Amino acid sequence: MIVHEKNYQTVWMEGQSVFMIDQNKLPFEFEIHECKTYWDSCMAITDMTVRGAGAIGAAAGYAMAQAYLEAPEDDIDTFVTEARADIESTRPTARNLFYAVEKVFEAGKVSRVNATITAQKIAAADAEDSWKIGQYGNELIKKSTRILTHCNAGWLAFVDYGTALSPIYQAHKSGKEVFVYVDETRPRGQGARLTAWELQQQGVPHLIIPDNAAASLMADKKIDLIIVGADRIARNGDVANKIGTYGCAVLAHYHQIPFYVAAPGSTFDMECASGKDIIIEHRNAEEVLFQDGMDANHNRVRIRIASPGSNAYNPAFDITPARLITGIITEKGIIKAHAQSIKAVLKE
Ligand code: MRU
């Protein structure tokens, strides 16, 4: 992704440090955050400096590699086992995190350098898979398609290209004149802050809509296609994604609008029989009660937007049942959201 005429990935590792675009500062400031230790990387995942399933997967893989590099010669095993537990407790829902940590943990048993090589490979594969998802997803997009997306499953949520937005970028590049409606995605506003910023960088025409406007847009026949990302997909095709995705899927079903999920193999969890087995992260009530922004003088501000004294309930993800999903766009093609198709594609 080109930002300020330079090619960036969302997260990368150089030497012993992990670097990432600071997503808490976007869209107001573009800054690179450095994590010198595995613990710094854990903090960055927890506070969402890096977020989005693929990006936190890559960051977690790098964190595991950092732990191997930091481990004392006389007690590598204890150090990396404790580090693994720390990394795995940063965020519970995105499958990619656990996928990457396990692979790098095993690779490190061969040698420290093998852990780093494996983490780099996982990040490279994430970008490559996202590119392929874009190619398959582009086949669904006709000229002048109006697409709704929820949250941010663009290149910021992965190492590059993204999942839900990758087909949109490829369609736009090929001159299909796509138009994107961006759900703002309360409470953290990943749509309004990150997806809108990404689309702007790429010159893709778009409008931000309040989450609760989607229903009337669908009723007014202003949306032809919906593409969202995924944080974890169960064996039966149920999908965990950003809170509000389920609502979009129910509406799409009612209005007979195709509803696609875009995700790489690293998001599927064959150990989860259905969405009921997926752990949903609950985040701090402050995300609902307060908003961060920038004032007219370009100063960062944080204001309370809810009634003082009231508290909030803040589940970060919801489950969309497989029966509401038209198809899943993977790096190996578009599949049905059911067990046999998922098994077949993961076996390939
Ligand atoms: O809480 P986040 O911002 O890490 O949420 C993850 C997401 O970005 C979304 O759920 C997204 O739609 C799928 S992950 C690319």
Side-chain angles (χ1 to χ4, degrees):
M1 166 64 64
I2 308 287
V3 184
H4 306 144
E5 292 169 15
K6 212 178 141 191
N7 196 15
Y8 284 94
Q9 294 201 320
T10 305
V11 53
W12 68 96
M13 186 173 180
E14 268 171 37
Q16 210 158 321
S17 283
V18 178
F19 296 87
M20 55 191 64
I21 293 170
D22 188 334
Q23 301 197 38
N24 283 329
K25 299 226 165 107
L26 284 174
F28 307 112
E29 290 154 282
F30 183 81
E31 266 181 31
I32 304 302
H33 177 80
E34 179 179 0
C35 301
K36 293 188 172 155
T37 63
Y38 93 82
W39 184 251
D40 291 347
S41 298
C42 287
M43 292 297 99
I45 297 170
T46 304
D47 75 7
M48 293 175 69
T49 300
V50 62
R51 37 69 46 206
I56 63 176
Y62 285 143
M64 195 67 248
Q66 283 177 303
Y68 270 107
L69 296 174
E70 287 166 39
E73 194 57 58
D74 57 352
D75 201 5
I76 296 186
D77 283 0
T78 312
F79 189 91
V80 296
T81 302
E82 284 173 12
R84 177 181 181 164
D86 288 338
I87 302 163
E88 289 187 335
S89 64
T90 53
R91 295 197 68 191
T93 305
R95 164 69 188 147
N96 310 54
L97 183 150
F98 299 86
Y99 168 90
V101 169
E102 187 182 352
K103 282 212 162 353
V104 179
F105 183 80
E106 290 304 320
K109 289 180 181 167
V110 177
S111 70
R112 295 180 200 250
V113 70
N114 197 42
T116 303
I117 291 170
T118 303
Q120 297 286 20
K121 278 189 187 158
I122 289 168
D126 182 85
E128 202 180 304
D129 290 348
S130 293
W131 173 256
K132 289 182 188 157
I133 285 170
Q135 288 188 311
Y136 286 114
N138 188 8
E139 290 168 14
L140 297 170
I141 302 175
K142 300 190 190 82
K143 202 165 191 296
S144 306
T145 299
R146 297 154 307 169
I147 303 167
L148 176 77
T149 190
H150 188 73
C151 193
N152 173 264
W155 69 274
L156 287 165
F158 287 82
V159 174
D160 211 344
Y161 309 113
T163 52
L165 296 191
S166 186
I168 293 173
Y169 291 140
Q170 295 202 23
H172 173 72
K173 250 192 174 166
S174 57
K176 286 185 181 168
E177 292 171 13
V178 285
F179 188 90
V180 185
Y181 287 105
V182 179
D183 271 355
E184 65 173 344
T185 320
R186 282 279 293 142
R188 284 187 73 96
Q190 289 95 328
R193 302 168 82 100
L194 304 176
T195 298
W197 181 81
E198 270 194 35
L199 293 172
Q200 221 175 318
Q201 302 300 308
Q202 295 292 109
V204 180
H206 64 279
L207 281 174
I208 299 164
I209 59 167
D211 297 326
N212 44 13
S216 72
L217 262 79
M218 291 190 210
D220 291 345
K221 303 209 177 309
K222 288 190 169 147
I223 293 169
D224 307 304
L225 173 68
I226 299 166
I227 314 180
V228 298
D231 292 85
R232 195 180 288 248
I233 303 178
R235 202 161 65 215
N236 70 343
D238 290 352
V239 165
N241 194 50
K242 184 53 57 192
I243 192 78
T245 303
Y246 173 49
C248 290
V250 172
L251 289 167
H253 185 72
Y254 182 80
H255 293 285
Q256 299 182 333
I257 297 167
F259 181 92
Y260 283 89
V261 171
S266 49
T267 302
F268 289 82
D269 185 353
M270 299 308 271
E271 312 234 305
C272 278
S274 77
K276 288 203 179 82
D277 303 312
I278 299 177
I279 297 170
I280 300 293
E281 177 183 16
H282 283 252
R283 294 189 61 90
N284 200 309
E286 292 209 346
E287 289 182 351
V288 179
L289 304 173
F290 292 82
Q291 282 282 281
D292 294 327
M294 183 171 260
D295 70 12
N297 298 318
H298 296 272
N299 295 314
R300 293 299 296 266
V301 287
R302 179 175 175 74
I303 54 166
R304 186 172 176 109
I305 55 164
S307 177
S310 291
N311 212 336
Y313 176 68
N314 187 18
F317 301 94
D318 59 23
I319 303 293
T320 298
R323 65 180 179 282
L324 297 179
I325 298 167
T326 313
I328 306 178
I329 311 165
T330 75
E331 71 277 22
K332 294 181 180 161
I334 301 174
I335 62 168
K336 288 277 166 216
H338 62 56
Q340 287 102 312
S341 313
I342 292 172
K343 219 172 158 188
V345 86
L346 290 183
K347 254 195 192 154
E348 271 176 34

